[in-house]
Amino acid sequence: MTETENLIKDLSKTHPGLKKKIAHYDEQFDYAFAIMNLRKALGLTQQQLADKIGVPQPTIARWETGHGNITINNLQKIANAAHKKLVISFK
């Protein structure tokens, strides 16, 4: 186990909801990185992507830092702007 994993294991003994919160933020950051990587691959600034999908630039910034809850509707708008198909799966 890594040092971080050991720390989480130890802290989880006194904070029972910790693992669940960490899992939630891991997912948020997965979405954030996916949005940011797609935007950069398209060569767009946050403002340009915001303009394409009709949201303010700070909204894009929040999504890319994992601090905003993005809807499926907005994910679909991003996919459309990128000429991509949005694919959702359960693992």
Side-chain angles (χ1 to χ4, degrees):
M1 255 188 206
T2 66
E3 187 175 332
T4 302
E5 290 168 330
N6 284 329
L7 179 60
I8 291 169
K9 183 179 175 183
D10 290 343
L11 287 172
S12 293
K13 292 174 186 172
T14 55
H15 299 85
L18 182 64
K19 280 188 181 182
K20 187 174 181 178
K21 285 182 181 181
I22 289 171
H24 169 75
Y25 286 108
D26 276 350
E27 289 174 359
Q28 290 292 101
F29 285 118
D30 288 345
Y31 306 143
F33 284 124
I35 294 166
M36 183 173 49
N37 288 337
L38 176 61
R39 177 182 59 78
K40 287 182 177 184
L42 296 171
L44 298 175
T45 64
Q46 288 182 347
Q47 185 63 59
Q48 289 168 325
L49 179 59
D51 291 343
K52 284 183 173 285
I53 67 169
V55 300
Q57 177 275 327
T59 300
I60 302 294
R62 280 193 306 276
W63 292 340
E64 289 188 359
T65 58
H67 291 100
N69 287 325
I70 188 166
T71 64
I72 292 174
N73 186 44
N74 283 324
L75 287 171
Q76 186 61 57
K77 287 179 183 179
I78 292 171
N80 290 344
H83 305 289
K84 302 280 186 181
K85 180 180 178 181
L86 176 63
V87 177
I88 299 171
S89 65
F90 297 96
K91 295 182 183 181

